[in-house]
Amino acid sequence: MLVNTTVSHVSPLLSYVPRSAWYEIALVQNAAATESSPDMHYHATNASNAGSASVSFSWWGKGEVYGGYQPSLGPYKVTLDENTAEYNGYTGGPSQLSFELFSASDLPLGKHSISIVNTGSNSTRPILDLGYLVFETQAGNSTAISHNSTKCVWTPQGVGAWNIDEDSHHVCKLNRTQSLTSYSGTGIAVYGQLDTNSAPFSVSIDGSTHSSLKPNAVLPPLINTTTLLYIKSNLLQGDHELWVNNDPDSISATATKLSISSVVVFSDAVVAPQPSP
């Protein structure tokens, strides 16, 4: 079956270039907000000030990109697997907070990469904003593992090392902390909560370390919601180990937090044994 995964604009899996050219906007600064819609926050860039800023993402499967459709939306180009197409941006009609900027539903299942560049040169339409991406990947089964599961190991252990609440395990210290999840499957996704104090982190699967990932959250979240922190697909079916390491850098004295809520394990479909003839 195909499994849909949503990637928020604050996910560390998105690469904004240059980071300084992008800013985060909240449409509703209301602490009582209860709607978990991804439309309430988004990243935007202004071509008048920043030129051809871009955002890129790589995934395994098929994909769609959503952002804002409004009179300020200027031209942009999308490069998917080295194939580039240009779009005019706003062409009239009502504004939409969640608008399909790009879709590639006919992609063959496999590894893909996308880059979206703000090419607007018109001072009246210089904006490109990104709300979220949705991609599909093939999986026989998907199983969610809560942060409270015995399959998760948190180190170091002891009072004050990891704080635990209903939503997540989280740490707010500069010392190195790690989370281990053992699982059997073909892929895994890690979800957690991001805010202005979220720190860079690294991920290792079966001893292979991936480069440090840096969250893109600049504003406090309107509500406590989980975000895709990391995903790995196309592993061989079998037993695997996932390590997530809190790696705060020396640039920020406040960005020291790692929060993990759950992981989702993808596995091949289980085929029932056939009776002997």
Side-chain angles (χ1 to χ4, degrees), residues 5 44 96-97 161 163 193 271:
T5 301
Q96 299 179 48
L97 293 178
N163 299 309
Q193 296 179 345
V271 179

Side-chain angles (χ1 to χ4, degrees), residues 270-274:
V270 177
V271 179
Q274 299 298 315

Side-chain angles (χ1 to χ4, degrees), residues 86-100:
E86 297 187 359
Y87 299 84
N88 292 325
Y90 183 77
T91 56
S95 298
Q96 299 179 48
L97 293 178
S98 182
F99 177 76
E100 188 178 278

Side-chain angles (χ1 to χ4, degrees), residues 50-211:
S52 300
S54 67
V55 57
S56 59
F57 174 68
S58 296
W59 77 99
W60 181 274
K62 306 176 181 182
E64 300 168 342
V65 181
Y66 291 85
Y69 181 77
Q70 50 197 338
S72 61
L73 175 62
Y76 59 95
K77 68 178 180 181
V78 178
T79 300
L80 174 66
D81 300 339
E82 300 182 354
N83 298 310
T84 300
E86 297 187 359
Y87 299 84
N88 292 325
Y90 183 77
T91 56
S95 298
Q96 299 179 48
L97 293 178
S98 182
F99 177 76
E100 188 178 278
L101 298 174
F102 176 80
S103 176
S105 58
D106 58 345
L107 285 176
L109 195 63
K111 185 175 181 179
H112 303 286
S113 62
I114 187 172
S115 174
I116 308 169
V117 180
N118 184 6
T119 59
S121 57
N122 188 326
S123 60
T124 63
R125 296 194 298 120
I127 303 298
L128 172 67
D129 64 58
L130 173 69
Y132 59 99
L133 300 90
V134 178
F135 69 90
E136 294 179 328
T137 189
Q138 186 76 41
N141 296 289
S142 61
T143 303
I145 301 175
S146 168
H147 66 100
N148 288 320
S149 171
T150 56
K151 294 184 178 181
C152 300
V153 178
W154 308 87
T155 61
Q157 297 182 356
V159 177
W162 287 89
N163 299 309
I164 307 171
D165 57 29
E166 181 180 353
D167 299 316
S168 69
H169 270 66
H170 57 275
V171 63
C172 302
K173 293 186 177 182
L174 287 173
N175 59 302
R176 186 179 180 89
T177 51
Q178 299 176 317
S179 166
L180 167 66
T181 302
S182 300
Y183 66 98
S184 180
T186 58
I188 192 167
V190 182
Y191 290 86
Q193 296 179 345
L194 295 177
D195 58 33
T196 56
N197 295 320
S198 295
F201 61 93
S202 60
V203 179
S204 300
I205 294 182
D206 300 337
S208 177
T209 301
H210 297 251
S211 58

Side-chain angles (χ1 to χ4, degrees), residues 26-51:
L27 297 182
V28 180
Q29 293 291 357
N30 180 1
T34 58
E35 185 178 2
S36 59
S37 169
D39 306 338
M40 296 298 100
H41 268 202
Y42 59 89
H43 263 68
T45 185
N46 188 324
S48 298
N49 302 326

